[in-house]
Structures are given as C-alpha cells and as structure tokens.
C-alpha cells in the first residue's frame, strides 16, 4: 500500500476524508472535513511502526470522537 483515501461518515451529515500516504514505516494522514462537497483540511497526523489496520482504526476513532461531540452538543441544545 502506498496511498489510500478513506471516507467515514453518516452521523448528522458529518463526513471526513482521510488521505493516507505511506513512506517507509511512516503513515502520514491528512484529515479533511467534507461538507456540501467542499473538502476543508482539518488536520494531519503521522504514525510510526504500526499496521494499515491500526491506521484505519485510528481514523475511525477520530471520526467517532468528532461525531459524539456533535451529538452531545445537539442534545445540550435540545435539538435531539
């Protein structure tokens, strides 16, 4: 594996795109927030000495944290 794009979404129309690039034993991940077909960069992360599955799990964990914080905020507002 050299390069990969991973899209994760579904909760409250929150979608993230993860561009994953591998160089040696380093995975570089660029995170984009996808809203209304606009991809806005939301951050980057580098991970060393891990497997591809660990990178995917880390992306899924990032998405779950963001989605849960939005759900909690909407509950606080009384919208859910």
């Amino acid at each position: 594996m050299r390069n990969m794009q991973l899209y994760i979404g579904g909760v409250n129309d929150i979608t993230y795109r993860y561009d994953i690039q591998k160089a040696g034993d380093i995975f570089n991940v660029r995170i984009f927030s996808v809203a209304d077909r606009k991809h806005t960069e939301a951050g980057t992360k580098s991970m060393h000495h891990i497997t591809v599955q660990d990178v995917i799990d880390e992306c899924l964990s990032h998405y779950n944290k963001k989605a849960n914080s939005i759900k909690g905020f909407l509950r606080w507002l009384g919208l859910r």
Side-chain angles (χ1 to χ4, degrees):
M1 185 204 100
R2 298 292 277 163
N3 300 319
M4 178 174 81
Q5 283 188 345
L6 177 65
Y7 283 82
I8 303 175
V11 176
N12 296 327
D13 294 328
I14 300 167
T15 302
Y16 282 93
R17 182 183 94 207
Y18 301 90
D19 287 345
I20 303 167
Q21 296 179 329
K22 183 178 182 187
D25 64 345
I26 301 170
F27 288 94
N28 293 307
V29 180
R30 290 178 61 203
I31 305 166
F32 295 87
S33 176
V34 180
D36 298 324
R37 296 186 178 166
K38 296 178 186 172
H39 295 236
T40 307
E41 189 162 356
T44 61
K45 187 168 190 171
S46 292
M47 295 173 256
H48 307 268
H49 306 292
I50 61 174
T51 66
V52 174
Q53 185 60 49
D54 291 335
V55 173
I56 293 170
D57 291 343
E58 190 69 27
C59 293
L60 189 56
S61 174
H62 171 266
Y63 170 77
N64 285 331
K65 287 177 194 172
K66 296 296 182 178
N68 286 334
S69 67
I70 295 294
K71 285 192 292 189
F73 180 69
L74 291 175
R75 257 192 306 256
W76 179 77
L77 287 176
L79 299 175
R80 277 206 137 224

